Amino acid sequence: VEVVIERVNLRDEAPPPAATVTANLTAPLLIPLAERIATGAIPAPEHLVVSGLLATERELVVAAYSDAGLGIEESLASGEWAALLLGR
């Protein structure tokens, strides 16, 4: 197993390609990334774990990543927060 941790400014840079990506981000950052994946500007990971999003934003994020070819595999919620496991 190889673990690589990189920090990038997702507004300006593409994340490095990886089989599994984790992101603790809110919907205003996650949705533009989904749009970039959908257009082929950045490669889609096999699995994407997102947390740090508000439960009220969940459906917007699920829809955006569905359009990008990543479907929901698991969803968790705790109070007003949600986390998703998305995959190809």
Side-chain angles (χ1 to χ4, degrees):
V1 173
E2 180 182 350
V3 176
V4 177
I5 298 173
E6 290 193 35
R7 184 176 173 178
V8 296
N9 180 343
L10 296 174
R11 289 184 180 105
D12 300 328
E13 304 171 56
T20 302
V21 174
T22 61
N24 187 31
L25 303 170
T26 59
L29 288 170
L30 290 169
I31 292 171
L33 282 175
E35 293 166 354
R36 291 168 62 195
I37 291 171
T39 63
I42 58 175
E46 289 180 39
H47 292 96
L48 175 62
V49 180
V50 297
S51 62
L53 67 141
L54 295 171
T56 57
E57 299 171 333
R58 180 192 174 281
E59 292 306 317
L60 293 172
V61 172
V62 168
Y65 281 92
S66 178
D67 291 346
L70 293 167
I72 188 166
E73 294 183 2
E74 192 168 340
S75 176
L76 300 172
S78 179
E80 64 186 45
W81 298 102
L84 301 168
L85 171 60
L86 304 166
R88 295 195 258 156

